[in-house]
Amino acid sequence: MSHPSYPMPLYAHAGRGRFEDVYEPAEDSFLFIDALERDAEELQGLSPSVCLEVGSGSGVVSAFLASVVGSSALYLCTDVNSLAASCTATTATCNDVALQPVITDLVQCLLPRLCGKVDVLLFNPPYVVTPSEELLSNQGLFYLVTIVENFPEEIIRLLGEGGLTGGPCLSRRAHNERLSVLRFHRTPLSRALAS
Ligand SMILES: C[S@@+](CC[C@H](N)C(=O)[O-])C[C@H]1O[C@@H](n2cnc3c(N)ncnc32)[C@H](O)[C@@H]1O
């Protein structure tokens, strides 16, 4: 099915100048954005209230999501790097979207308040770790970028044990890496138990 294409957010400030130590959008970020663009209609249909990107770096992925979903959602963007939080704020301004940067380890300072409330959860981790599946709302979607060396099948199995069903939604070879975006939702049984 064809869908409108959404512009790539502006991010020329990322990875240079005062944001030199902030992750500059790369193939993994672009694959992530492509996966969200492919799911644009579904994401809009979800009418998310809370979107959370863990490790937002430049903020370009959340800026893209915000341009697809619209201004009715809250976009929380965590990062351990305070410069990434500033860069995310700058990306928001440059792209006329509202993103809320939070400096924290993974989701630590948000976890108690966000359990079961996150409708769209985004993560492109620098190492194998997944944020708590308890964050996801009953209708929520969790997108996770992996490389082959992260053993995506093992991640799918482990998250399955935690009540999430999912699999690859988009894959691409970039240089010598095989990148995949995995997409998860709550399994019906875990939905019933959570509500
Ligand atoms: C590979 S970059 C991805 C950036 C962005 N999500 C993207 O796709 O372009 C990973 C980001 O996670 C951040 N990060 C690393 N460890 C973290 C942690 N424990 N908690 C929060 N953020 C972390 C890094 O500072 C970096 O900005």
Side-chain angles (χ1 to χ4, degrees), residues 103-118:
I103 302 166
T104 188
D105 183 10
L106 299 176
V107 288
Q108 213 169 54
C109 76
L110 299 172
L111 196 54
R113 272 172 288 172
L114 284 186
C115 264
K117 296 205 172 83
V118 178

Side-chain angles (χ1 to χ4, degrees), residues 22-26 28-29 32 53-61 78-81 84 104-107 123-127 145:
V22 175
Y23 187 79
E24 189 176 347
D28 49 353
S29 323
F32 212 169
E53 181 178 7
V54 182
S56 62
S58 66
V60 73
V61 178
T78 74
D79 209 293
V80 272
N81 177 355
T104 188
D105 183 10
L106 299 176
V107 288
F123 199 19
N124 176 8
Y127 37 73
V145 178

Side-chain angles (χ1 to χ4, degrees), residues 1-181:
M1 188 189 296
S2 71
H3 53 77
S5 62
Y6 298 87
M8 183 68 192
L10 305 173
Y11 64 88
H13 50 281
R16 50 188 58 82
R18 67 181 278 248
F19 298 131
E20 191 179 354
D21 292 334
V22 175
Y23 187 79
E24 189 176 347
E27 291 299 333
D28 49 353
S29 323
F30 304 137
L31 183 71
F32 212 169
I33 284 173
D34 288 348
L36 296 175
E37 183 174 41
R38 247 176 48 155
D39 281 0
E41 275 183 32
E42 191 175 348
L43 289 164
Q44 288 158 353
L46 197 62
S47 297
S49 298
V50 180
C51 302
L52 169 62
E53 181 178 7
V54 182
S56 62
S58 66
V60 73
V61 178
S62 281
F64 183 81
L65 179 68
S67 75
V68 169
V69 169
S71 57
S72 58
L74 172 68
Y75 298 91
L76 295 164
C77 299
T78 74
D79 209 293
V80 272
N81 177 355
S82 59
L83 282 173
S86 303
C87 188
T88 291
T90 301
T91 301
T93 306
C94 290
N95 293 284
D96 200 21
V97 293
L99 305 178
Q100 313 302 327
V102 180
I103 302 166
T104 188
D105 183 10
L106 299 176
V107 288
Q108 213 169 54
C109 76
L110 299 172
L111 196 54
R113 272 172 288 172
L114 284 186
C115 264
K117 296 205 172 83
V118 178
D119 299 309
V120 182
L121 179 58
L122 307 174
F123 199 19
N124 176 8
Y127 37 73
V128 184
V129 60
T130 56
S132 169
E133 53 264 16
E134 291 156 26
L135 287 169
L136 215 56
S137 68
N138 277 346
Q139 78 276 17
L141 293 173
F142 170 32
Y143 293 86
L144 176 69
V145 178
T146 63
I147 54 174
V148 165
E149 290 75 10
N150 297 151
F151 301 106
E153 294 306 325
E154 184 61 8
I155 293 174
I156 293 167
R157 191 187 65 75
L158 285 173
L159 289 183
E161 287 175 1
L164 300 185
T165 303
C169 71
L170 197 58
S171 299
R172 184 175 299 155
R173 183 170 295 283
H175 307 294
N176 57 349
E177 281 185 337
R178 181 80 188 157
L179 293 162
S180 291
V181 179

